[in-house]
Amino acid sequence: MSLLSEFREFAVKGNVVDLAVGVIIGGAFGKIVTSLVDQVVMPPIGWLIGGIDFADLKITLPVNPTNPQGAPAVIEYGAFINVLIQFVIVAFVIFMMVKLINKLRRQQAAEPDAAPAAPTATEQLLIEIRDELKARP
């Protein structure tokens, strides 16, 4: 089998395609959550605590005396808080999805299997023979 045909077989398997779809949807979902946090969740929180924009929260460290022309180091903890909230939202959504999947699996496992198929003519004859033999003294 050539390398190209092996790669084609690998690439079109269901698992690889499912993984690609999951990554693409995950990226899009990440953008939605980022927008939700940055434009919907954080502005009211900032407004409630005095009109603070969390993206602007930072600590600027003093310039290094050995390199006065260098840019000062900045710790942007407001952006970190935004990312932390985004993580919590994504983790909660994933938790809810896993919870739903587990619930569906438990329901499927609890459902009784389909009724057994009716015995074939041969099986029915054997059952009758067995019952006759049991009935004899």
Side-chain angles (χ1 to χ4, degrees):
M1 186 178 273
S2 72
L3 183 64
L4 182 61
S5 62
E6 284 184 57
F7 177 74
R8 186 175 340 121
E9 181 182 337
F10 167 78
V12 296
K13 282 187 178 178
N15 294 341
V16 175
V17 174
D18 292 344
L19 177 63
V21 169
V23 168
I24 292 168
I25 290 176
F29 182 70
K31 289 180 182 179
I32 291 170
V33 171
T34 300
S35 175
L36 173 72
V37 170
D38 291 345
Q39 282 111 22
V40 177
V41 174
M42 295 312 286
I45 292 174
W47 178 77
L48 285 173
I49 61 173
I52 297 173
D53 183 8
F54 273 82
D56 294 335
L57 294 178
K58 57 188 164 195
I59 297 172
T60 304
L61 300 176
V63 176
N64 186 348
T66 61
N67 185 10
Q69 287 82 18
V74 178
I75 300 173
E76 297 178 343
Y77 67 92
F80 176 73
I81 292 171
N82 283 352
V83 171
L84 194 63
I85 292 173
Q86 291 170 14
F87 170 77
V88 169
I89 291 171
V90 170
F92 179 73
V93 169
I94 291 172
F95 168 74
M96 294 306 290
M97 289 172 49
V98 169
K99 186 176 176 179
L100 176 68
I101 290 169
N102 288 339
K103 180 181 177 183
L104 293 174
R105 284 184 182 167
R106 280 192 299 271
Q107 285 177 350
Q108 186 179 19
E111 290 177 0
D113 291 333
T120 63
T122 305
E123 291 172 340
Q124 186 63 36
L125 182 60
L126 289 172
I127 290 171
E128 289 174 11
I129 292 171
R130 181 196 65 200
D131 293 342
E132 282 290 325
L133 289 174
K134 282 183 182 178
R136 289 187 180 174

